[in-house]
């Protein structure tokens, strides 16, 4: 970060001027440093939804929304997704560089050794209704992990932070798979140390004790790539939630549970489930226009799920890779999913429609992911859970970065107060 220029603002009520430092990063928009703004002006800045606010300095992920660029530690997602394993990208996000073979093997082994969860987790699950949404289960169980490692989580110890990070990356897939199995009333399947990350997740979700289960390599490779596409994405809502929660020094397992809660929302990671429900509701390509009409109607709260993005005002680069993966998986499995035809027609019409063009609304990462998950036999209710499995790595990397940031303080925004000014209290008997 370099600091040499300023912006000057003038308060036209008093004529007072304020010089605010401009901070430059390595690429992308510079920032105006307003840390002293309230002390100097007596005013707060106002930015609900943080459309123009940088909350932190980060070196993990860079997004150029206008160009549709996504870099993880400088590597384009187009290079990482087809050429890496998910755990290679996890290592990159956590450590800043891609691992060599020895580093990768050590990291993969470390994660593999943490995939089992305490047997008490069985009792956690039994407390939920069988028809609980898997994200409710994941939120509760991941947060509950905080109760198992409190004596080994001295956050001032980098080694403890690293082990907590490995535990989270390793155990969230197990918890996601167990949430699914529990909802099906099937026996929980334990992780297998001879399987790689994505293959093991598929095994835990779809194997049963009565017979051997052979992981389909096409599905394992596709899932591994999809996990890469969902691993991290700058300061999105759930990552910002993890950072804000972590800024108070909260237990890392509780911080990730907070991230899961935020991701669940249909405006965020819950959109992949909402896309599938939307496509099923549309049913056939000839009914797409009706859906687009509703999405444009200001009086209708309906939005085209899987479309639009706070940052991307161009095609989400992940959506392009996801669409390609979608076609590859359906072709290799010889599946003809009519919802893919609906999705493609919806995309074609929306991208030609002035309402979407004018607002720069393009398909985002969630638009095609559900169709691929469906082809893998993953139920709609588990789509966001898959997103949470992947994003746990990004959340953990961002949490670690926050922890060692010298500028980091507890997050405590202010407000524009528009409530009543002080007034006389009237006792109940006199009201
Ligand atoms: C993810 O932040 C991240 O990086 C998130 C994510 C990640 O990897 O972490 O990329 C993952 O969350 C992807 C987004 C998934 N959500 C959806 O697909 C839900 C549908 N999309 C919208 O809800 C919306 O586009 C958001 C929430 C994604 C972005 O909302 P913004 O940035 O607050 O945009 P906005 O609401 O200000 O919309 C601008 C205009 C509005 O119209 P006007 O008031 O200007 O007339 O565009 C319209 C909106 O009504 N609009 C849509 C729309 N998205 C925006 N209209 C119809 N359908 C949509 N999907």
């Amino acid at each position: 970060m370099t600091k040499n220029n300023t912006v000057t603002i003038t308060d036209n009520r008093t004529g007072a001027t304020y010089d605010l430092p401009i901070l430059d990063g390595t690429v992308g928009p510079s920032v105006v440093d307003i840390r002293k703004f309230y002390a100097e002006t007596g005013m707060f800045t106002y930015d609900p939804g943080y459309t123009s606010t940088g909350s932190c300095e980060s070196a993990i992920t860079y997004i150029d929304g206008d160009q549709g660029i996504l870099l993880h530690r400088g590597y384009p997602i187009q290079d990482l997704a087809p050429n890496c394993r998910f755990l290679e990208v996890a290592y990159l996000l956590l450590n800043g560089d891609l691992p060599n073979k020895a580093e990768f093997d050590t990291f993969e082994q470390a994660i593999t050794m943490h995939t089992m969860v305490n047997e008490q987790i069985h009792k956690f699950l039994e407390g939920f209704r069988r028809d609980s949404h898997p994200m409710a289960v994941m939120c509760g169980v991941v947060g509950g992990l905080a109760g198992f490692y409190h004596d080994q989580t001295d956050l001032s110890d980098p080694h403890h932070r690293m082990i907590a990070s490995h535990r989270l990356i390793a155990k969230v897939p197990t918890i996601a798979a167990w949430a699914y199995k529990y909802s099906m009333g099937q026996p929980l399947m334990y992780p297998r140390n001879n399987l790689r990350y994505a293959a093991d997740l598929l095994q835990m979700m779809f194997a049963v004790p009565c017979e051997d289960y052979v992981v389909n390599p096409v599905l394992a490779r596709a899932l591994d790539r999809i996990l890469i596409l969902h691993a991290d994405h700058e300061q999105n809502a759930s990552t910002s939630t993890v950072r804000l929660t972590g800024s108070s020094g909260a237990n890392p397992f509780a911080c990730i549970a907070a991230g899961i809660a935020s991701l669940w929302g249909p405006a965020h990671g819950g959109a992949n489930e909402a896309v599938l429900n939307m496509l099923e509701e549309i049913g056939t390509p000839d009914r797409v226009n009706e859906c687009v009409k509703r999405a444009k109607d200001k009086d209708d709260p309906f939005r085209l799920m899987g479309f639009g993005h706070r940052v991307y005002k161009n095609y989400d680069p992940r959506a392009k890779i996801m669409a390609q993966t979608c076609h590859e998986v359906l072709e290799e499995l010889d599946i003809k999913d009519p919802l893919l035809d609906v999705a493609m027609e919806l995309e074609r019409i929306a991208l030609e429609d002035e309402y979407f063009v004018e607002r720069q609304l393009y398909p985002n990462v969630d638009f095609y992911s559900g169709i691929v998950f469906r082809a893998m036999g993953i139920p709609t209710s588990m789509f966001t859970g898959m997103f949470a499995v992947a994003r746990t790595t990004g959340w953990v990397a961002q949490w670690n970065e926050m922890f060692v940031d010298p500028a980091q303080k507890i997050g405590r925004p202010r407000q524009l107060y528009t409530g009543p000014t002080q007034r006389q209290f009237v006792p109940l008997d006199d009201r």
Side-chain angles (χ1 to χ4, degrees):
M1 176 182 9
T2 57
K3 178 177 170 181
N4 44 32
N5 295 313
T6 61
V7 289
T8 300
I9 63 165
T10 302
D11 183 341
N12 63 7
R13 301 170 299 177
T14 62
T17 61
Y18 305 95
D19 293 332
L20 301 171
I22 295 173
L23 307 180
D24 302 316
T26 45
V27 64
S30 297
V31 299
V32 178
D33 184 347
I34 58 167
R35 281 174 285 188
K36 296 192 172 67
F37 189 84
Y38 175 56
E40 290 176 6
T41 70
M43 290 187 284
F44 300 136
T45 58
Y46 182 64
D47 187 13
Y50 309 117
T51 51
S52 302
T53 294
S55 61
C56 62
E57 179 183 335
S58 180
I60 298 174
T61 292
Y62 172 69
I63 303 170
D64 180 328
D66 295 329
Q67 303 298 319
I69 291 171
L70 169 56
L71 307 179
H72 289 314
R73 302 284 190 180
Y75 294 102
I77 192 69
Q78 293 86 346
D79 292 344
L80 295 172
N83 300 306
C84 287
R85 311 197 72 89
F86 172 68
L87 286 184
E88 271 182 270
V89 175
Y91 183 99
L92 171 67
L93 295 174
L94 277 168
N95 299 294
D97 289 304
L98 284 166
N100 60 34
K101 183 75 174 63
E103 290 163 335
F104 177 72
D105 291 346
T106 304
F107 181 68
E108 184 177 43
Q109 180 64 7
I111 298 300
T112 302
M113 288 301 114
H114 282 298
T115 49
M116 279 180 60
V117 293
N118 190 296
E119 281 294 285
Q120 288 298 101
I121 296 300
H122 288 261
K123 294 185 173 17
F124 268 71
L125 291 172
E126 282 153 24
F128 287 94
R129 282 174 39 168
R130 289 278 181 182
D131 62 350
S132 300
H133 194 287
M135 286 298 279
V137 177
M138 289 181 71
C139 202
V141 175
V142 171
L145 288 180
F148 289 84
Y149 305 109
H150 46 271
D151 56 338
Q152 304 156 40
T153 313
D154 169 5
L155 298 185
S156 64
D157 181 338
H159 184 65
H160 281 206
R161 293 201 300 272
M162 181 196 66
I163 291 189
S165 303
H166 290 177
R167 279 176 169 147
L168 280 158
I169 293 170
K171 295 181 193 303
V172 169
T174 305
I175 293 167
W178 282 19
Y180 170 61
K181 283 302 207 188
Y182 179 74
S183 73
M184 298 289 286
Q186 288 186 0
L188 306 180
M189 297 304 292
Y190 287 85
R192 307 281 310 167
N193 291 350
N194 64 328
L195 292 177
R196 312 197 86 146
Y197 197 83
D200 200 17
L201 176 52
L202 289 172
Q203 180 271 139
M204 288 189 282
M205 286 188 70
F206 299 119
V208 288
C210 334
E211 58 189 23
D212 292 339
Y213 178 80
V214 178
V215 176
N216 180 323
V218 170
L219 299 190
R221 181 69 198 104
L223 181 55
D224 202 69
R225 183 186 303 176
I226 291 170
L227 294 176
I228 291 173
L229 295 177
H230 289 80
D232 190 59
H233 211 239
E234 202 210 64
Q235 304 310 319
N236 58 83
S238 54
T239 297
S240 299
T241 300
V242 170
R243 278 179 170 263
L244 189 58
T245 311
S247 71
S248 70
N251 180 294
F253 297 94
C255 294
I256 300 306
I260 293 171
S262 172
L263 186 74
W264 191 4
H268 189 13
N272 54 17
E273 178 176 350
V275 167
L276 233 294
N277 294 334
M278 174 185 74
L279 294 176
E280 284 179 329
E281 191 186 330
I282 295 170
T284 53
D286 61 307
R287 291 192 60 224
V288 162
N289 273 312
E290 182 189 320
C291 167
V292 170
K293 192 159 166 272
R294 279 192 62 201
K296 292 157 55 175
D297 178 356
K298 278 286 152 233
D299 298 326
D300 188 333
F302 175 79
R303 286 199 160 179
L304 208 51
M305 301 315 281
F307 257 77
H309 199 276
R310 171 64 57 78
V311 177
Y312 288 124
K313 302 308 170 190
N314 198 324
Y315 214 102
D316 182 335
R318 302 168 298 174
K320 281 184 184 167
I321 301 169
M322 188 65 74
Q324 179 196 333
T325 303
C326 187
H327 287 289
E328 280 172 16
V329 169
L330 267 63
E331 196 177 308
E332 290 189 41
L333 297 179
D334 194 20
I335 295 176
K336 295 274 178 288
D337 186 343
L339 293 188
L340 178 58
D341 299 330
V342 177
M344 288 168 65
E345 178 63 2
L346 187 52
E347 177 183 3
R348 184 188 68 78
I349 291 177
L351 292 183
E352 290 169 0
D353 186 292
E354 189 194 324
Y355 173 94
F356 293 89
V357 174
E358 194 181 287
R359 291 167 178 79
Q360 299 174 298
L361 302 176
Y362 293 87
N364 58 50
V365 68
D366 293 308
F367 190 64
Y368 282 103
S369 56
I371 296 175
V372 189
F373 286 144
R374 210 163 97 107
M376 293 177 170
I378 296 171
T380 308
S381 63
M382 279 299 296
F383 289 0
T384 310
M386 294 292 108
F387 196 153
V389 165
R391 189 52 58 88
T392 293
T393 290
W395 291 331
V396 162
Q398 299 268 354
W399 173 78
N400 277 286
E401 183 180 65
M402 174 209 67
F403 224 88
V404 298
D405 180 351
Q408 180 52 44
K409 305 167 76 114
I410 186 169
R412 207 283 187 207
R414 302 302 302 274
Q415 62 182 11
L416 174 67
Y417 178 72
T418 55
T421 54
Q422 187 164 336
R423 52 183 170 162
Q424 190 62 38
F425 174 76
V426 179
L428 180 59
D429 295 342
D430 299 336
R431 278 181 237 149

